[in-house]
């Protein structure tokens, strides 16, 4: 059986993690949410009150951090230095801090290396911003998911409400627009579609339809070899 690397890139709330998890389950692959890794490091920098220009302390934090993913009650949890930080990394503050921290070259170099090690044996679905362009430019399957800003903001607003956070839709939309701008204009590995990635606009698609499209493409290329 061939163990593929499936890269899924795109902006926030385009549906990457939901379809990535489902695809990984269908294929019996591991799923890695690289955005959660940037969020975990941002959380640690915040807890230690380290600013983004303090490069020597950032380097020290990166050197002494472990990040793992575990499955608990059929949910993916992110473990930072042995602590489950899954809820803490999803706040609007950490979203903004993760976007800022992800523009720092040493943070990227270190997390990209970790991600390459996690995926080197194949059999992995990895989602992020630079998976098909930088982390695994040779990935067999690359997808680029996108959706309109309004639709993505609606999805994020719903998620935050479900977490019990009091937020305004207009603020969620504004922050998402700002983050899109940061992520796609930063100097190092900005969000961009790999030339060989397949684009899917998820604005008006049900989740099942997105998965089906991706699944059909994978099967038509690799058939029973996966
Ligand atoms: O996917 P997300 O919203 O959880 O990602 C959080 C931040 O991390 C996002 O603003 C951009 C950054 N990120 C990145 O630069 N590269 C990745 N591969 C994944 C996320």
């Amino acid at each position: 059986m061939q163990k593929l690397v499936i890269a899924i890139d795109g902006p926030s709330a385009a549906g990457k993690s939901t379809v990535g998890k489902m695809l990984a389950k269908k294929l019996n692959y591991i799923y890695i949410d690289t955005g959660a890794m940037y969020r975990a490091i941002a959380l640690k920098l915040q807890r230690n009150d380290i600013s983004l220009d303090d490069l020597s302390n950032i380097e020290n934090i990166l050197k002494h951090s472990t990040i793992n993913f575990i499955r608990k009650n059929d949910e993916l949890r992110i473990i930072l230095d042995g602590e489950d930080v899954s809820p803490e990394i999803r706040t609007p503050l950490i979203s903004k801090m993760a976007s800022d921290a992800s523009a720092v070259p040493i943070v990227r170099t270190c997390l990209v290396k970790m991600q390459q090690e996690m995926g080197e044996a194949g059999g992995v679905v990895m989602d992020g911003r630079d998976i098909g362009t930088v982390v695994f430019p040779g990935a067999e399957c690359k997808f680029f998911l996108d959706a309109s800003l309004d639709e993505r903001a609606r999805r994020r607003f719903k998620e935050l409400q479900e977490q019990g956070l009091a937020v305004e839709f207009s603020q969620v939309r504004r922050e998402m627009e700002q983050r899109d701008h940061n992520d796609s204009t930063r100097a190092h590995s900005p969000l961009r579609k790999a030339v060989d990635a397949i684009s899917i606009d998820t604005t008006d698609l049900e989740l099942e339809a997105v998965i089906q499209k991706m699944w059909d493409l994978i099967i038509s290329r690799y058939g029973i070899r996966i």
Side-chain angles (χ1 to χ4, degrees), residues 39 42-43 46 88-100 160 165 175 179:
R39 287 169 180 270
L43 177 70
Q46 188 233 9
E88 284 92 335
I89 62 164
R90 298 287 163 198
T91 63
L93 174 66
I94 297 300
S95 295
K96 160 86 176 72
M97 293 191 68
S99 179
D100 292 342
L160 294 170
L165 295 173
E175 287 176 359
R179 216 142 65 77

Side-chain angles (χ1 to χ4, degrees), residues 73-90:
N73 302 332
D74 214 28
E75 258 186 54
L76 193 77
R77 316 290 300 184
I78 180 156
I79 311 296
L80 170 69
D81 302 330
E83 177 194 352
D84 184 347
V85 292
S86 311
E88 284 92 335
I89 62 164
R90 298 287 163 198

Side-chain angles (χ1 to χ4, degrees), residues 92 156-167:
R156 183 51 49 84
F157 178 63
K158 193 165 163 252
E159 262 172 36
L160 294 170
Q161 278 192 318
E162 281 165 5
Q163 284 170 33
L165 295 173
V167 283

Side-chain angles (χ1 to χ4, degrees), residues 7 14 28 33 35 41 69 75 81 89 109-111 113 118-119 125 130 144 153 155 173 186 193 195 202 211:
N28 206 16
D33 173 359
I41 290 301
F69 291 96
E75 258 186 54
D81 302 330
I89 62 164
T109 310
C110 181
L111 291 189
K113 189 164 169 278
M118 287 172 166
V125 177
D130 59 343
F144 191 88
R155 291 175 190 169
R173 189 184 185 283
R186 66 174 178 234
K193 176 185 165 309
V195 282
T202 69
I211 307 257

Side-chain angles (χ1 to χ4, degrees), residues 182-193:
N182 284 355
D183 296 343
S184 48
T185 56
R186 66 174 178 234
H188 297 274
S189 318
L191 167 65
R192 114 184 122 71
K193 176 185 165 309

Side-chain angles (χ1 to χ4, degrees), residues 9 12 16 33-36 38-39 90 95 98-99 102 108 115 127-131 135 156 179 183 186 189:
D9 289 306
S12 306
K16 305 183 302 290
D33 173 359
T34 62
Y38 286 93
R39 287 169 180 270
R90 298 287 163 198
S95 295
S99 179
S102 71
R108 300 209 70 81
Q115 291 152 13
D127 101 39
R129 304 291 189 286
D130 59 343
I131 311 304
V135 183
R156 183 51 49 84
R179 216 142 65 77
D183 296 343
R186 66 174 178 234
S189 318

